[in-house]
Amino acid sequence: MLFIELAQTFEKMEKTRSRIELTYHLVELFTTTPAEIIDKVVYLILGKLGPDHESSELGIADKIVIKTLSHSSRIPVDKIIKEYNSIGDLGEVAYKFLTERTQSTLFAQVLTVDKVFSTLLKIAHTSGVGSLDIKIRLVNSLINSSSRLESKFIVKLILGNLRLGIANFTLLDALTLAFTKDKKNRVILERAYNVSSDLGKIAATLANGSLSEVQSISISLFTPVRPMLAERAVDSPEALKKLDGFGLAEFKIDGERIQIHKQGEKIELFTRSLENVSSNFPDIINMIKLLSPKEMIAEGEIVAINPNNLRYLPFQNLMRRRRKYKIQEAVKAFPVMLNLFDILFIDGNDTTNLPFLERRRLLKFALKDNRSDRIKLIEQTQVSCTKDIDAFMTKALENGCEGLMLKNPKTEYRAGARGWAWIKLKKEYSGKVIDSMDLVVLGALHGKGRRVGKYGALLLGAYDRVNDTFYTIGKVGTGFTDEILSLLSDRLSKLVLQGKSPRVEAGSLMMDVWFEPRVVLEIISPEITLSPIYTAARDAVNLGNGLALRFPKFSGKIREDKLPEDSTTIDEVLELYRNQFKQKSN
Ligand code: AMP
């Protein structure tokens, strides 16, 4: 398949703001893509070179691409930089400056999807002495062999800023339609995705095999399973009701969720967003090596601790372990511990279909030889009345936790699913602050005064799972230190879109900049009110009005561990809104 065919589809997709149209373009693309390269096409659509847990960074800086473009177009570097500063996207700059004429004289080879993919992979995998020169040569070869349109997308892929607005869920829809012609089969694909976290693999299995082969994709070591997620209860009576009167309550620790894969001495750690963070936690890996199961997939919360009394420390301390260099120094300076709460696989057996009570027993068994005080089973107790829950909540808060997780003892592990089998219950409402919410940054207004050159207010959104859409809920401009504001501006500037994402419903609200919905912030707000401006739960409480945060404030926590789809949902916001009145009437 020629790369130009893919580039033409990308061009159509970039111009589309409708989800249905995007799905249509994807279906058309998949039906014409040869089976041997369909996995590569899927990864490229997502701007990646493999599944999330394997995807490699290319390590190419803007200035290298600028030099290459200058060389190919014979336009001076400073003119290219000027244009880049004004457009903000080097792919678009390439499209503007690389005329077809300059390209055709340099035409060296016809680019296929396979060729582009393998060259990008080579760029990513080249390392060591002299690697930069090799990378530059490879970038040059790609740009010099491509047409204007091709180079636009090649540059975007190289710099990691191809943003077609395609969510994994849209891809699943399109794959179902293209290969099975029946929307009902989506659940089969979704299950396979939840256990394999690899859309390319699912596409290739469908294209080369059959739906029943997709059905038999199962949990496997070193392929992260998409995590089971919790619903939020507003108080202990609601939680108990959802558990049918009996549950297992656990500490909800303010750390980072880690999925551990172990096979003998080989151990890998994945975050909730499926990032491989093994290199950050050599101390934890050494302790896991000593556990008795030969093979194991388990989950737990890593938390920063005070080494003198093993007390939990807030999340921010743990984030200091997330670095590329000087890992051993960080291990000493910021000690952590692992609190295990689930087991998905042990010595050849998939345990996800067992009830939680049974999995807990197996987890305890897996830890039987553990001698380290830095690994333990999470604190757990049985609860059958609100008094039990409230007492355990007090204990959890005294121990520095953020609340409780309440779990149904009978339920299996539901990969990738959020439901009432797991319920999170945070601190009791103080009456002043409702609760924290994890909201996605959708857009921004330019900063004024001290914030000139940075973003001022950030537009926030909550997620609706049914429509896979983000709805607006307010703007936040307080709670940011200068340091965090710079960091955020940096991160967000890489997510700028030409217009609003097709996954965002913002009504008639105008912003200076729109972003790809990706960055999740923890926000606190004293109240949720009705508003004609915002679209969250519009018409659900009152016709013409949506829900909005009153005086929202950033808590200081960027939720690096959360995908935008894991943010607070519209249903949760509605529940929190309604709960305010319950609180007042009590
Ligand atoms: P939230 O991030 O508020 O949606 O809450 C879910 C997160 O709580 C999980 O992804 C875990 O990182 C964390 N967590 C802390 N303690 C537990 C626990 N005992 N069981 C499950 N998740 C926990």
Side-chain angles (χ1 to χ4, degrees):
M1 185 182 193
L2 295 180
F3 186 70
I4 187 71
E5 295 171 57
L6 194 59
Q8 280 159 349
T9 311
F10 283 179
E11 179 75 356
K12 278 191 258 171
M13 288 178 181
E14 263 199 348
K15 296 211 158 72
T16 305
R17 293 282 149 235
S18 138
R19 287 263 315 273
I20 296 170
E21 229 177 282
L22 273 177
T23 314
Y24 167 78
H25 289 314
L26 285 171
V27 171
E28 199 177 57
L29 176 66
F30 292 149
T31 34
T32 52
T33 302
E36 318 83 73
I37 55 158
I38 193 146
D39 49 348
K40 294 174 184 162
V41 167
V42 166
Y43 298 137
L44 290 177
I45 289 169
L46 294 168
K48 307 213 163 112
L49 296 175
D52 284 336
H53 53 282
E54 279 171 18
S55 200
S56 350
E57 283 181 18
L58 273 79
I60 297 288
D62 291 0
K63 60 177 191 246
I64 292 176
V65 174
I66 291 171
K67 262 195 206 153
T68 308
L69 291 181
S70 165
H71 188 255
S72 286
S73 62
R74 306 209 171 89
I75 287 174
V77 163
D78 49 353
K79 194 165 170 203
I80 294 193
I81 293 178
K82 200 166 159 218
E83 196 64 22
Y84 178 32
N85 288 339
S86 117
I87 307 182
D89 183 326
L90 274 174
E92 301 298 333
V93 176
Y95 188 67
K96 180 158 183 194
F97 284 147
L98 296 175
T99 61
E100 294 299 355
R101 194 188 54 76
T102 49
Q103 289 307 290
S104 58
T105 52
L106 291 165
F107 236 77
Q109 53 189 319
V110 178
L111 282 181
T112 59
V113 171
D114 217 17
K115 174 78 190 165
V116 172
F117 192 89
S118 61
T119 311
L120 292 177
L121 215 53
K122 232 187 260 168
I123 296 175
H125 290 169
T126 304
S127 62
V129 186
S131 62
L132 190 61
D133 285 341
I134 302 173
K135 283 177 192 257
I136 293 172
R137 225 176 302 134
L138 291 166
V139 171
N140 276 330
S141 80
L142 275 180
I143 306 257
N144 288 335
S145 307
S146 58
S147 67
R148 259 176 101 196
L149 192 67
E150 286 171 318
S151 53
K152 165 173 163 173
F153 291 106
I154 286 174
V155 167
K156 287 181 190 232
L157 284 165
I158 288 175
L159 295 175
N161 59 9
L162 177 73
R163 292 187 286 273
L164 301 173
I166 294 172
N168 292 345
F169 295 99
T170 313
L171 262 169
L172 280 173
D173 279 344
L175 287 170
T176 310
L177 288 172
F179 291 104
T180 80
K181 310 271 180 292
D182 187 350
K183 264 187 173 173
K184 273 196 255 131
N185 292 322
R186 191 189 189 284
V187 284
I188 299 175
L189 271 66
E190 199 172 329
R191 189 210 62 87
Y193 173 54
N194 284 335
V195 295
S196 71
S197 312
D198 189 344
L199 287 166
K201 175 175 171 173
I202 293 168
T205 312
L206 275 172
N208 292 300
S210 62
L211 192 61
S212 63
E213 278 175 54
V214 174
Q215 234 156 348
S216 54
I217 292 180
S218 62
I219 187 167
S220 67
L221 279 159
F222 306 107
T223 303
V225 178
R226 297 191 68 233
M228 177 166 177
L229 300 169
E231 286 285 358
R232 173 202 305 240
V234 290
D235 51 23
S236 46
E238 187 194 18
L240 196 66
K241 194 164 148 224
K242 295 284 185 191
L243 289 166
D244 289 333
F246 178 76
L248 297 170
E250 293 177 351
F251 279 3
K252 184 176 192 305
I253 298 175
D254 191 15
E256 181 166 32
R257 183 172 184 162
I258 295 287
Q259 196 174 92
I260 299 135
H261 288 238
K262 171 183 196 294
Q263 188 170 44
E265 297 262 296
K266 181 180 173 194
I267 286 147
E268 273 172 27
L269 309 178
F270 300 96
T271 64
R272 174 172 165 162
S273 49
L274 313 181
E275 197 187 335
N276 191 326
V277 286
S278 311
S279 63
N280 293 116
F281 300 105
D283 44 346
I284 294 285
I285 289 190
N286 282 336
M287 292 182 296
I288 297 168
K289 271 186 195 158
L290 302 175
L291 298 182
S292 50
K294 273 208 174 65
E295 295 177 330
M296 180 174 86
I297 302 178
E299 279 191 339
E301 192 84 354
I302 289 195
V303 62
I305 49 161
N306 175 337
N308 302 321
N309 53 16
L310 300 186
R311 276 186 74 80
Y312 304 142
L313 298 176
F315 181 76
Q316 276 80 351
N317 296 277
L318 181 67
M319 282 303 102
R320 308 177 101 151
R321 285 291 289 270
R322 289 286 223 104
R323 51 166 81 184
K324 277 195 178 146
Y325 309 104
K326 299 197 175 165
I327 305 276
Q328 284 308 335
E329 279 95 325
V331 167
K332 279 208 194 92
F334 310 110
V336 298
M337 85 184 284
L338 171 66
N339 294 266
L340 288 164
F341 56 72
D342 217 320
I343 187 155
L344 285 61
F345 189 88
I346 185 165
D347 292 334
N349 298 300
D350 178 348
T351 57
T352 52
N353 285 322
L354 299 176
F356 179 52
L357 197 60
E358 182 60 16
R359 297 204 305 281
R360 169 83 182 188
R361 196 188 61 74
L362 284 173
L363 186 59
K364 208 168 164 185
F365 172 76
L367 284 179
K368 68 180 177 359
D369 296 326
N370 174 44
R371 299 284 166 265
S372 166
D373 61 356
R374 300 295 171 91
I375 297 193
K376 60 177 210 182
L377 265 180
I378 204 140
E379 283 270 324
Q380 191 193 69
T381 191
Q382 297 186 354
V383 289
S384 51
C385 62
T386 55
K387 229 171 78 204
D388 292 346
I389 299 179
D390 297 341
F392 200 54
M393 173 67 93
T394 307
K395 185 172 172 195
L397 297 181
E398 280 167 6
N399 278 278
C401 300
E402 54 174 8
L404 297 180
M405 288 293 283
L406 294 132
K407 300 182 178 175
N408 188 325
K410 296 188 207 133
T411 358
E412 69 283 4
Y413 187 93
R414 296 176 181 158
R418 191 186 291 277
W420 291 102
W422 282 15
I423 301 167
K424 56 186 169 188
L425 189 60
K426 296 204 185 165
K427 292 188 236 303
E428 281 299 319
Y429 305 117
S430 65
K432 282 206 185 109
V433 173
I434 50 164
D435 200 349
S436 64
M437 278 173 259
D438 299 318
L439 300 169
V440 185
V441 183
L442 305 177
L445 295 174
H446 288 313
K448 297 196 180 101
R450 264 181 67 222
R451 290 195 184 164
V452 167
K454 299 197 183 108
Y455 297 120
L458 301 177
L459 177 67
L460 302 167
Y463 184 56
D464 180 25
R465 268 178 255 154
V466 180
N467 305 323
D468 181 34
T469 298
F470 297 92
Y471 291 89
T472 59
I473 189 167
K475 293 192 209 86
V476 65
T478 51
F480 300 94
T481 60
D482 285 350
E483 190 192 352
I484 287 232
L485 202 65
S486 295
L487 193 121
L488 258 179
S489 291
D490 231 35
R491 181 100 31 102
L492 289 169
S493 63
K494 299 198 178 82
L495 300 173
V496 174
L497 298 173
Q498 307 287 0
K500 194 160 46 69
S501 157
R503 298 174 73 204
V504 170
E505 178 50 64
S508 53
L509 195 67
M510 307 283 276
M511 298 303 288
D512 294 333
V513 202
W514 292 100
F515 304 115
E516 170 89 19
R518 186 146 323 147
V519 173
V520 182
L521 302 182
E522 187 179 79
I523 302 291
I524 40 183
S525 166
E527 199 180 341
I528 302 176
T529 55
L530 291 170
S531 151
I533 300 170
Y534 298 106
T535 56
R538 183 170 275 177
D539 300 338
V541 178
N542 182 288
L543 217 58
N545 279 310
L547 295 179
L549 303 179
R550 189 129 192 260
F551 310 127
K553 189 174 168 205
F554 175 52
S555 76
K557 233 191 223 182
I558 303 177
R559 296 299 311 245
E560 312 266 9
D561 58 326
K562 284 206 165 181
L563 294 171
E565 293 80 13
D566 296 331
S567 57
T568 299
T569 63
I570 295 293
D571 288 347
E572 285 178 69
V573 176
L574 251 176
E575 182 73 18
L576 289 169
Y577 172 79
R578 293 194 172 120
N579 191 54
Q580 297 176 139
F581 301 102
K582 267 203 252 162
Q583 297 258 318
K584 279 180 193 153
S585 61
N586 283 345

